[in-house]
Amino acid sequence: MLDRHAALVVVPRASRAVVQESDWTWHRLVPWSDGGFMVGIELAFFRGALSECLLFHDDDSRYGRDWNEWSERKERRRAQALSDWLAARGWAAGRYGWGEVWVGYEPRTGLGGGWVRYAACA
């Protein structure tokens, strides 16, 4: 049901790239609740084409509001919560003909979550 998902409201966000003239553009959607599970979504566009969709459990009370409250343990719990949420909906992590779904802890960024990457960019 489209009207149930306030996440469809797009909030532009600064590029993650260090280079000012980046080919990447990021947009964060307003988080929405799915049965009490807050879903955070960011869309990544490369040269104007949707490249990937990042997903995360958006819950400051569990994982902290900023880097001062960060811990690897919390981020691994965030990744597991997302994995459980996706699995309950039949969206298993793995490779598909159209792209890839990944969920886990990413040590290079220090963040737990997941993404959907489309075949042209996978």
Side-chain angles (χ1 to χ4, degrees), residues 8 15 37 44 68 103 106 111-114 119:
L8 297 174
S15 172
F37 186 89
N68 292 326
V103 180
E106 173 50 68
L111 300 175

Side-chain angles (χ1 to χ4, degrees), residues 3-44:
D3 60 338
R4 229 180 97 197
H5 301 292
L8 297 174
V9 177
V10 177
V11 179
R13 186 194 126 156
S15 172
R16 286 185 175 181
V18 176
V19 181
Q20 204 167 25
E21 295 297 321
S22 174
D23 289 331
W24 287 93
T25 305
W26 293 82
H27 294 281
R28 178 172 283 185
L29 305 181
V30 176
W32 53 275
S33 177
D34 180 35
F37 186 89
M38 292 302 292
V39 180
I41 301 172
E42 291 187 3
L43 303 175

